[in-house]
Amino acid sequence: MSATTESPPSRNYEILPKADFNGALDGDVLEVSMGPQHPSTHGVFRMDVVLDGETVLKLKPVFGYLHRNHEQIAERTSYLASMPYTDRLDYFCSLTNNWAYALTVEKLAGLQPPERAEYIRIITAELTRLQNHTCLAGFLLMDMGALGTPLMYAFREREKILDLFESLTGARMMCNYMRFGGCRVDLPEGWLEQAKKVVESYPGFLDEFENLLSSNEIVMARTQGVGRLSKDLAINASITGPMLRACGVNYDIRKVDKYGIYDRFDFRVPLGDHGDCYDRYMIRILEMRESLKILNQALKDIPAGPIMDPKAKLRAFKPKPGEVYGRIEAPKGELGFYLISDGSASPYRYRVRPPSLINLTILEDMCLGQSVADVVVILGSVDIVLGEVDR
């Protein structure tokens, strides 16, 4: 991406005098548009990057290419009809999207899921966290140039989890499974046994994955000290999830809010020391091991019983007037929904607080002074999905 490469008229770059940057540098700088179809962006997303040689002087994220009017549509349809739309926010994590929305509506309507439904939600959410973090590790290594093995290993394990989701919900990715007051259907026969097999085999995969990657000298050279994020900036910018914990901030909504029945399970919250790309990678590896602890406990203790609150009347659902904010610890961070009810069948206001969008706001801060090759790795370590950035 230098001025000497082939530059047909369609290329989005231009030479700017360095005087435009307060005269601090001599010579010229290069403005490059990375995207909107750059392989590292995992969607339709652009970064306008200003370079001095290969060093980043400025970076502006440009999004909006995938805006689907999600929130306005939700204000013109029934509460239940919006559930499938939540699947399309983070399309890697539809079941946690479902849960965040269902939990918010339940707070608004005063519904309480039965015990078995709470366990099913925990199990599906932690399986979702497993496959999200597994894919993130694979994609991150692909962004570094490892085009084959890590990503294929990750997708091999993800398939096992998606098979479980398909047998439970009828869909591999767009599950549309949660309902206000519980779950749409109960676990099919043999599902728990199959889930236990997947959970029992996962530590072996993680050991194999870590032996391949965590001490790899190329991975360490490309990630350690790269894209550092300070604890103060992370807090002030409302960063959440693994990105925040990689900075050493002990904040996990599963521990803070204890939503669902998370207070019944024994698990740790891994923390980083440096807030760089390597810490963000390692936090996800460690979080997967903690998810396995939760899954082992939940699969062992799940009770029999109903899966829906008998008070839930979804066909004529009109919650009393009021406003509420509900949130969960989604795999990428805090996923929240803000709802205002005016007593009608549709929300008066419906807003989403997506972790990908908020976590993306400090991309420039992490990239300044880094090389243009590091930008791709730093973006990959943020773990964004454009479906919830744009909505």
Side-chain angles (χ1 to χ4, degrees):
M1 290 183 290
S2 67
T4 60
T5 57
E6 181 186 0
S7 53
S10 60
R11 290 287 183 97
N12 274 327
Y13 68 73
E14 59 179 318
I15 301 294
L16 299 176
K18 284 190 178 176
D20 287 0
F21 297 91
N22 302 318
L25 300 167
D26 297 324
D28 294 322
V29 297
L30 183 68
E31 183 174 338
V32 180
S33 182
M34 296 178 66
Q37 273 85 30
H38 192 280
S40 74
T41 60
H42 305 293
V44 189
F45 169 66
R46 192 173 94 238
M47 294 176 286
D48 287 342
V49 188
V50 177
L51 302 171
D52 173 26
E54 292 194 2
T55 302
V56 176
L57 300 180
K58 286 188 176 183
L59 186 146
K60 177 185 177 183
V62 181
F63 34 79
Y65 297 97
L66 287 179
H67 184 64
R68 305 180 307 287
N69 215 27
H70 176 136
E71 292 158 325
Q72 290 297 302
I73 290 172
E75 292 172 5
R76 288 160 174 77
T77 189
S78 69
Y79 284 86
L80 183 58
S82 291
M83 186 63 77
Y85 285 99
T86 67
D87 291 336
R88 276 78 179 168
L89 288 169
D90 179 355
Y91 35 79
F92 278 89
C93 305
S94 71
L95 286 163
T96 47
N97 301 345
N98 287 178
W99 192 4
Y101 179 51
L103 180 147
T104 306
V105 176
E106 286 161 2
K107 290 176 67 174
L108 187 64
L111 299 174
Q112 178 59 51
E115 188 93 344
R116 182 173 176 84
E118 294 280 27
Y119 272 87
I120 293 173
R121 289 180 173 188
I122 293 280
I123 292 167
T124 55
E126 294 308 317
L127 286 171
T128 299
R129 199 178 315 276
L130 274 184
Q131 61 97 12
N132 179 87
H133 288 358
T134 299
C135 290
L136 178 277
F139 282 128
L140 183 61
L141 269 293
M142 185 182 71
D143 292 340
M144 293 182 208
L147 298 180
T149 305
L151 184 61
M152 292 302 102
Y153 276 21
F155 270 50
R156 179 192 68 188
E157 299 305 310
R158 179 184 181 230
E159 284 299 303
K160 300 173 184 176
I161 295 176
L162 294 187
D163 286 345
L164 288 171
F165 291 167
E166 184 177 17
S167 65
L168 173 60
T169 71
R172 291 163 55 79
M173 294 180 67
M174 308 302 167
C175 297
N176 185 22
Y177 177 66
M178 306 293 180
R179 292 293 181 265
F180 315 137
C183 303
R184 176 161 53 88
V185 294
D186 203 350
L187 303 177
E189 185 177 352
W191 195 92
L192 285 175
E193 289 70 23
Q194 188 60 39
K196 288 176 183 177
K197 289 180 181 178
V198 172
V199 170
E200 287 170 2
S201 67
Y202 227 86
F205 158 70
L206 289 178
D207 293 341
E208 180 185 31
F209 213 50
E210 280 211 77
N211 288 335
L212 179 68
L213 302 176
S214 297
S215 300
N216 184 291
E217 60 184 69
I218 298 176
V219 173
M220 295 169 70
R222 291 297 309 278
T223 58
Q224 290 185 348
V226 173
R228 286 194 174 188
L229 176 62
S230 71
K231 184 182 297 187
D232 290 342
L233 177 58
I235 293 171
N236 290 335
S238 299
I239 305 304
T240 56
M243 280 193 66
L244 178 66
R245 294 187 285 275
C247 303
V249 180
N250 189 355
Y251 187 82
D252 187 313
I253 297 173
R254 293 174 294 176
K255 292 284 191 181
V256 174
D257 288 1
K258 298 181 175 62
Y259 64 91
I261 51 173
Y262 270 113
D263 57 339
R264 302 185 188 182
F265 300 105
D266 178 31
F267 66 100
R268 298 184 308 112
V269 177
L271 301 176
D273 295 318
H274 309 290
D276 57 11
C277 289
Y278 188 80
D279 273 5
R280 290 193 279 276
Y281 156 76
M282 279 305 304
I283 287 297
R284 277 135 178 153
I285 297 293
L286 295 172
E287 284 193 0
M288 284 193 276
R289 297 192 183 276
E290 297 305 312
S291 289
L292 291 171
K293 289 183 186 178
I294 296 172
L295 284 165
N296 279 317
Q297 296 170 69
L299 290 168
K300 176 185 174 184
D301 297 337
I302 183 171
I307 59 165
M308 280 294 292
D309 185 338
K311 299 194 300 295
K313 302 187 187 315
L314 302 183
R315 291 188 178 179
F317 189 75
K318 295 182 179 180
K320 295 179 180 179
E323 68 178 293
V324 67
Y325 177 72
R327 62 180 188 168
I328 69 165
E329 184 67 39
K332 294 175 173 63
E334 178 180 334
L335 173 61
F337 285 82
Y338 172 69
L339 298 174
I340 297 179
S341 169
D342 59 2
S344 69
S346 303
Y348 177 75
R349 282 289 181 269
Y350 174 109
R351 293 292 180 267
V352 184
R353 191 270 186 209
S356 288
L357 174 64
I358 307 301
N359 292 348
L360 194 58
T361 58
I362 43 75
L363 181 62
E364 181 182 43
D365 300 271
M366 295 191 293
C367 291
L368 292 179
Q370 306 282 266
S371 74
V372 67
D374 291 335
V375 169
V376 174
V377 179
I378 293 167
L379 176 64
S381 73
V382 177
D383 190 14
I384 63 168
V385 162
L386 269 298
E388 68 176 19
V389 171
D390 291 338
R391 302 186 301 290

